[in-house]
Amino acid sequence: MTKSARLLKIKINGRTMFGLDQFSNTQKVIREGIEEKLHFGAQVYISQNSKILADFALGHNHPPAIDTNKELSSDTILPWMSCSKMLTAVAIAILNERRSLSYEQFVGDILPAFSCNGKEEISIKHLLTHTSGIRLLPLQWDKLSWEETVAAIAKMPIERDWTPGEKAGYHIGTSWLILGEIVRLVDGRGIDQFLNEEILAPLKMEHSGISMTKDLYLNSGLDISGLYRTDTQTPYSSLEKYFDSVNLVRPGASGRGPIKELGVFMEMLLNKGSYEGKRLMSERTVEEITSRQRQGLLDLTFNKTIDWGYGFMIDSKCHNRSYPYSFGTYCSEDTFGHNGNQSSAAYVDPEHDLVVCYVFNGMPGEYEHNKRLKAMNDAIYQDLDLDY
């Protein structure tokens, strides 16, 4: 049995927060991380059986040394990093459902320039399951436009001795730019516009998006913050560098918003494509993208065996007792979702009708983050009496 879904509103320094009474272990992980200078604050959103259990933020937006430092709010807009990949995957799923494309379709059928250098038989499925073999491309991403970046990826060779679908390795950005270009070519709208109109607006994710201009950051009046590298002597944010980039749209990395709005997106997936009476996808489509489409393959990027749906990581404790960016010790085997580089996590545990989303605003390095990630996931399940 789980704890009852109490939802107490608590006001601290004028801010309303939900669920602090229930999530004491979770709070402890966040506060200990602040003390250890792994991060300066965190946002948490948790729901179960369509009831919000937690919606709170602890800590501050910035390092203490910054004069403009202020308390982090649950409304603060923060980067989601690679959690953004789930949005792009759903965009592809919607187009597949509309029969505008198919997962088995070769990428070169849509983007002819891609069909070269061993990439002729790479399909959309291979891109979504991280099995296409185009993981790394040394580019100055900030200095290239969308068109220049897509052209560079289209020309790159497949990795040596790689047969698409037979090897696996997490693709950080290359394949996701191509998926975004596929959306543009098939639908006519850029990936940012498609996401805004087809997903974010219907779900009332009013402060979320996959791009953000410097003018919006400086002049909107919204509470917008970045992530800080905390594995250096002096923490620094990459937000300013992002705003100086020629291309602000990165379908695998540039999503941002309050973490509670990403929680709404995850609740839509838990509800099989529907949210508050609005249906974005069919139940069959959601089941397809969040079930094992890649199973039992060693991930050459993480050096662990990890299962994937179409753009969604699936719990893989059946293959490894622990692995990077897992959803923790206690989640069910059908849990699916994604993580963001050294910062965020968003997942659905269908067996427990549970949605968990959180983001830390400090990036302490891979080792420290994975320790923190495990502690956070385990604490959440302990607070819910699901640690069995």
Side-chain angles (χ1 to χ4, degrees), residues 173-221:
T174 49
S175 55
W176 297 88
L177 262 293
I178 298 300
L179 287 167
E181 178 68 355
I182 287 172
V183 171
R184 188 188 71 81
L185 292 172
V186 168
D187 179 78
R189 289 172 286 180
I191 182 66
D192 52 341
Q193 183 183 357
F194 186 96
L195 292 177
N196 287 338
E197 295 177 359
E198 298 284 351
I199 299 173
L200 304 181
L203 295 178
K204 297 181 180 179
M205 296 169 65
E206 297 175 354
H207 298 110
S208 299
I210 204 165
S211 66
M212 181 179 295
T213 65
K214 192 170 187 177
D215 179 67
L216 179 64
Y217 174 64
L218 294 174
N219 301 315
S220 68

Side-chain angles (χ1 to χ4, degrees), residues 70-91:
K70 60 182 178 180
E71 290 186 341
L72 187 65
S73 162
S74 60
D75 294 321
T76 301
I77 295 171
L78 285 169
W80 298 337
M81 301 300 283
S82 285
C83 287
S84 314
K85 289 179 170 67
M86 295 186 289
L87 298 173
T88 301
V90 167

Side-chain angles (χ1 to χ4, degrees), residues 9-227:
K9 297 182 181 181
I10 301 174
K11 278 204 170 184
I12 299 178
N13 296 331
R15 295 182 301 154
T16 300
M17 293 189 282
F18 302 90
L20 286 175
D21 62 313
Q22 187 171 355
F23 291 93
S24 57
N25 290 307
T26 303
Q27 286 188 66
K28 183 180 179 183
V29 173
I30 297 170
R31 296 188 191 281
E32 287 178 349
I34 293 173
E35 291 175 5
E36 296 170 14
K37 298 181 180 179
L38 303 179
H39 50 262
F40 310 104
Q43 290 178 338
V44 178
Y45 180 89
I46 300 168
S47 66
Q48 189 176 33
N49 299 314
S50 300
K51 296 179 181 179
I52 301 172
L53 303 185
D55 179 10
F56 62 80
L58 299 175
H60 293 81
N61 278 14
H62 310 292
I66 295 181
D67 293 337
T68 57
N69 195 19
K70 60 182 178 180
E71 290 186 341
L72 187 65
S73 162
S74 60
D75 294 321
T76 301
I77 295 171
L78 285 169
W80 298 337
M81 301 300 283
S82 285
C83 287
S84 314
K85 289 179 170 67
M86 295 186 289
L87 298 173
T88 301
V90 167
I92 294 290
I94 290 172
L95 291 175
N96 176 70
E97 185 171 289
R98 294 173 182 172
R99 300 185 179 181
S100 298
L101 54 77
S102 72
Y103 294 124
E104 302 297 336
Q105 192 169 359
F106 291 142
V107 175
D109 292 345
I110 301 171
L111 177 61
F114 186 86
S115 189
C116 65
N117 294 325
K119 305 193 305 300
E120 292 83 358
E121 295 187 359
I122 291 176
S123 68
I124 293 173
K125 176 179 180 177
H126 297 142
L127 298 182
L128 288 166
T129 56
H130 300 271
T131 59
S132 62
I134 55 167
R135 287 182 293 173
L136 300 175
L137 181 62
L139 289 177
Q140 289 184 296
W141 298 83
D142 296 332
K143 299 185 183 302
L144 297 178
S145 67
W146 174 273
E147 293 78 12
E148 290 169 330
T149 306
V150 168
I153 298 170
K155 292 178 184 177
M156 71 181 291
I158 195 171
E159 292 184 47
R160 185 177 179 182
D161 299 325
W162 192 296
T163 300
E166 295 184 7
K167 284 187 177 181
Y170 182 73
H171 291 52
I172 296 172
T174 49
S175 55
W176 297 88
L177 262 293
I178 298 300
L179 287 167
E181 178 68 355
I182 287 172
V183 171
R184 188 188 71 81
L185 292 172
V186 168
D187 179 78
R189 289 172 286 180
I191 182 66
D192 52 341
Q193 183 183 357
F194 186 96
L195 292 177
N196 287 338
E197 295 177 359
E198 298 284 351
I199 299 173
L200 304 181
L203 295 178
K204 297 181 180 179
M205 296 169 65
E206 297 175 354
H207 298 110
S208 299
I210 204 165
S211 66
M212 181 179 295
T213 65
K214 192 170 187 177
D215 179 67
L216 179 64
Y217 174 64
L218 294 174
N219 301 315
S220 68
L222 296 172
D223 184 12
I224 303 171
S225 190
L227 305 179

